[in-house]
Every structure is written in structure tokens, then in C-alpha cells.
């Protein structure tokens, strides 16, 4: 195999692995609440990764039009994992995801923000207007309560 063919084969392999990593890096899990998905986010969070998360969620929603609520869980993201990311950029990316989901008619909920992360965002003077809960359990309880009230209010 000549050098050019070997380089091309390696580029193809790298592209395949990058696609695989992007897909498994954003798991989308159906919830016990009807028409709701959970997107756990953990590990290092870069601007590119946040854009990938947004794109994966939107692609999924495009294929699953019955979904009306998305819960993004940031429990696995600490301040040490976003050191290289400006908090303004983080807030912007979260706002972009929030706006994108709303445009699709999907209720975005964000949970699990580390208190140090919140402290840094507030300290940076960044304003984010999103629906948040302390954890996934609390968000689900709220959604289940609302669903139960809707069922009981039917004629």
C-alpha cells in the first residue's frame, strides 16, 4: 500500500471513529414520563461538543415528532471539565439549545448544574432564562404531577 492510500484509509477510519464518538457521547434515553427524553451530559464540555449535543437532540426530535419535553442533565459536568470554555459561551450554548427546542415545540428542562458552575456563571454576569431543577428526579416528579393533574381535569 502506498503512502497516499494509507493516509486516506487512516482519514476514513478517523472520520468513522469521530462519528461513533459523537453518537455515543450524547445518549438519548426515553423517560418514564410519556413523550419525554433524558439527555445526560457528562465529562469535558467544549463549544463543539455542546453544538454536537444540540444537533443530536434536534436530529432525534426530527425523527421522533411525538417528543414534547427534553430534560438535559448536567450532573456529570463540573467546573474542572469546562475550564477551557468561557462561561459566556457555555451560557450562550445552553440558551441556543433552549431556544432551538422551544422553536420545535419541545419543552426544555435543565437539571443538575453543579453549584460551582452556577456560581461561576453568575459571577461572570451571565443571564440565562431557562427552566431548571436541582436534579432529574425533581424534574420528573414535576412532569408526572402535571401529567396527573391533566388526567384528573379531563371531563
Amino acid at each position: 500500500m502506498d503512502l497516499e492510500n494509507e493516509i486516506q484509509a487512516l482519514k476514513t477510519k478517523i472520520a468513522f471513529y469521530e462519528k461513533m464518538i459523537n453518537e455515543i457521547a450524547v445518549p438519548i434515553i426515553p423517560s418514564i414520563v410519556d413523550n419525554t427524553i433524558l439527555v445526560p451530559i457528562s465529562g469535558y464540555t467544549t463549544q463543539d461538543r455542546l453544538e454536537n449535543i444540540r444537533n443530536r437532540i434536534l436530529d432525534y426530535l426530527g425523527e421522533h415528532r411525538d417528543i414534547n419535553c427534553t430534560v438535559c442533565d448536567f450532573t456529570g459536568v463540573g467546573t474542572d471539565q469546562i475550564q477551557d470554555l468561557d462561561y459566556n459561551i457555555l451560557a450562550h450554548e445552553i440558551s441556543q439549545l433552549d431556544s432551538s427546542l422551544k422553536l420545535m415545540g419541545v419543552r426544555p428542562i435543565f437539571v443538575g448544574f453543579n453549584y460551582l458552575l452556577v456560581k461561576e456563571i453568575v459571577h461572570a454576569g451571565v443571564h440565562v432564562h431557562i427552566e431548571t431543577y436541582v436534579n432529574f428526579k425533581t424534574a420528573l416528579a414535576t412532569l408526572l404531577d402535571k401529567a396527573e393533574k391533566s388526567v384528573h381535569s379531563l371531563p
Side-chain angles (χ1 to χ4, degrees), residues 8-118:
Q8 187 56 43
L10 290 172
K11 285 181 179 181
T12 301
K13 192 178 271 191
I14 288 170
F16 171 77
Y17 288 138
E18 284 177 342
K19 183 177 184 225
M20 185 187 310
I21 289 168
N22 285 337
E23 288 177 8
I24 62 175
V26 186
I28 296 176
I29 304 166
S31 168
I32 62 167
V33 177
D34 288 340
N35 305 321
T36 299
I37 56 172
L38 167 66
V39 182
I41 300 167
S42 63
Y44 286 92
T45 308
T46 63
Q47 186 171 9
D48 287 343
R49 181 151 187 257
L50 290 168
E51 287 175 14
N52 180 47
I53 290 167
R54 183 175 65 243
N55 290 332
R56 285 268 299 139
I57 293 170
L58 294 176
D59 288 346
Y60 183 89
L61 294 173
E63 296 172 13
H64 300 86
R65 300 298 297 166
D66 59 327
I67 301 299
N68 59 31
C69 184
T70 298
V71 180
C72 296
D73 188 347
F74 282 79
T75 301
V77 178
T79 52
D80 58 328
Q81 295 165 324
I82 57 166
Q83 290 176 1
D84 297 334
L85 184 61
D86 181 292
Y87 290 104
N88 286 304
I89 293 173
L90 174 63
H92 175 74
E93 288 298 329
I94 291 170
S95 292
Q96 288 284 349
L97 176 57
D98 185 71
S99 297
S100 298
L101 292 173
K102 287 176 179 173
L103 280 172
M104 290 194 71
V106 175
R107 178 182 178 184
I109 297 176
F110 299 87
V111 302
F113 287 114
N114 176 306
Y115 78 95
L116 293 172
L117 180 63
V118 171

Side-chain angles (χ1 to χ4, degrees), residues 71-75 107-113 130-143:
V71 180
C72 296
D73 188 347
F74 282 79
T75 301
R107 178 182 178 184
I109 297 176
F110 299 87
V111 302
F113 287 114
I130 57 176
E131 182 178 0
T132 61
Y133 294 93
V134 68
N135 56 37
F136 181 57
K137 182 177 179 180
T138 304
L140 280 184
T142 301
L143 290 170

